[in-house]
């Protein structure tokens, strides 16, 4: 799975759109939609109120586009030499946005090799092997469900369900809604793009 993921991210480009639901003790579970895309020279992330794109095609600087409330994209440049960082460090800082996402996708590896029930299921229109691992004792139970894409080996759906007898039950999960590879990121252009100088000029007008 790791090699497939590396190839898709670094050579082909990969696009994943997914929904997540998380357990919050004593509260209604929160739902969130996350979209992630990466190609050899670009990065895109949308989630938790943030939408951003980064262009790494220039070896001397990174160009970042951040979606504003008015729908326009604010463009900023980070010149590596001026900022005292390398291109690799800038790319690594962007990858922090994806730690949680690929943590979800990698959860299956923790249980690979354990005794699990196997069946079939489609996720995002793709054929998957479905694995279920469950354990229960004295009224308490945990069940993990994984759907692994047969072609790429990626985990496209993961769910943890927990029950505690009279204390109730809950679940945390993600489900891939759309999956594309190869994928090409298209950056904003024209009137949709503004810079910090543009915003300053508007304020002074």
């Amino acid at each position: 799975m790791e090699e497939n993921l590396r190839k898709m991210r670094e050579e082909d480009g990969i696009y994943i759109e997914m929904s997540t639901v998380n357990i919050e003790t004593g509260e209604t579970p929160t739902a969130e939609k996350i979209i992630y895309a990466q190609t050899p020279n670009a990065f895109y992330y949308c989630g938790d109120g943030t939408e951003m794109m980064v262009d790494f095609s220039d070896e001397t600087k990174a160009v970042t586009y951040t979606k504003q409330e008015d729908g326009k994209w604010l463009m900023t440049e980070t010149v590596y030499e001026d900022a005292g960082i390398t291109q690799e460090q800038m790319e690594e800082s962007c990858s922090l946005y994806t730690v949680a996402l690929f943590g979800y996708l990698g959860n299956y590896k923790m249980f690979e090799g354990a005794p699990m029930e196997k069946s079939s299921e489609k996720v995002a229109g793709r054929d998957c092997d479905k694995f279920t691992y469950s354990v229960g004792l004295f009224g308490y139970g945990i069940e993990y469900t994984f759907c692994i894409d047969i072609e790429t080996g990626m985990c496209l759906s993961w769910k943890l369900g927990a029950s505690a007898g009279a204390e109730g039950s809950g679940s945390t999960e993600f489900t891939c809604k759309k999956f594309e590879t190869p994928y090409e990121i298209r950056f904003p252009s024209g009137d949709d793009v503004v810079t910090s100088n543009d915003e300053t000029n508007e304020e002074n007008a």
Side-chain angles (χ1 to χ4, degrees), residues 43-137:
F43 165 87
Y44 173 84
Y45 174 85
C46 181
D48 195 27
T50 299
E51 186 172 2
M52 64 179 294
M53 309 176 78
V54 185
D55 182 356
F56 295 110
S57 59
D58 190 321
E59 295 182 355
T60 65
K61 64 183 180 181
V63 181
T64 301
Y65 302 85
T66 306
K67 194 71 167 289
Q68 307 297 291
E69 291 183 358
D70 61 4
K72 293 185 178 296
W73 293 86
L74 176 62
M75 182 182 72
T76 57
E77 294 184 349
T78 302
V79 178
Y80 302 131
E81 184 176 1
D82 293 345
I85 62 174
T86 64
Q87 184 178 23
E88 291 74 19
Q89 288 172 327
M90 183 67 181
E91 292 180 4
E92 179 65 22
S93 69
C94 286
S95 70
L96 295 177
Y97 285 90
T98 65
V99 169
L101 172 60
F102 286 102
Y104 285 129
L105 297 178
N107 278 332
Y108 170 70
K109 299 298 292 183
M110 297 169 55
F111 295 87
E112 193 174 19
M116 292 185 281
E117 296 181 7
K118 182 180 178 181
S119 57
S120 299
E121 188 164 313
K122 277 189 176 291
V123 180
R126 300 178 66 88
D127 293 323
C128 294
D129 287 327
K130 180 179 179 179
F131 298 93
T132 303
Y133 172 82
S134 59
V135 60
L137 185 66

Side-chain angles (χ1 to χ4, degrees), residues 132-156:
T132 303
Y133 172 82
S134 59
V135 60
L137 185 66
F138 302 126
Y140 294 83
I142 296 178
E143 181 174 276
Y144 294 92
T145 303
F146 311 91
C147 290
I148 309 300
D149 181 44
I150 293 175
E151 181 182 357
T152 66
M154 291 187 65
C155 182
L156 300 186

Side-chain angles (χ1 to χ4, degrees), residues 144-182:
Y144 294 92
T145 303
F146 311 91
C147 290
I148 309 300
D149 181 44
I150 293 175
E151 181 182 357
T152 66
M154 291 187 65
C155 182
L156 300 186
S157 177
W158 174 82
K159 180 176 181 179
L160 163 62
S163 59
E167 298 176 21
S169 61
S171 67
T172 181
E173 61 187 280
F174 88 84
T175 302
C176 179
K177 298 296 185 182
K178 192 173 182 180
F179 179 90
E180 293 181 16
T181 186

Side-chain angles (χ1 to χ4, degrees), residues 1-16 36-43 102 126 149 151-152 154 179-186:
M1 182 174 71
E2 290 88 349
E3 179 58 26
N4 285 331
L5 182 57
R6 184 203 63 76
K7 182 177 185 296
M8 286 186 286
R9 293 176 65 186
E10 298 179 6
E11 299 178 21
D12 301 328
I14 179 174
Y15 174 96
I16 299 172
Y36 168 89
Q38 184 171 338
T39 66
N41 295 313
F43 165 87
F102 286 102
R126 300 178 66 88
D149 181 44
E151 181 182 357
T152 66
M154 291 187 65
F179 179 90
E180 293 181 16
T181 186
Y183 184 76
E184 180 181 355
I185 295 175
R186 293 176 175 82

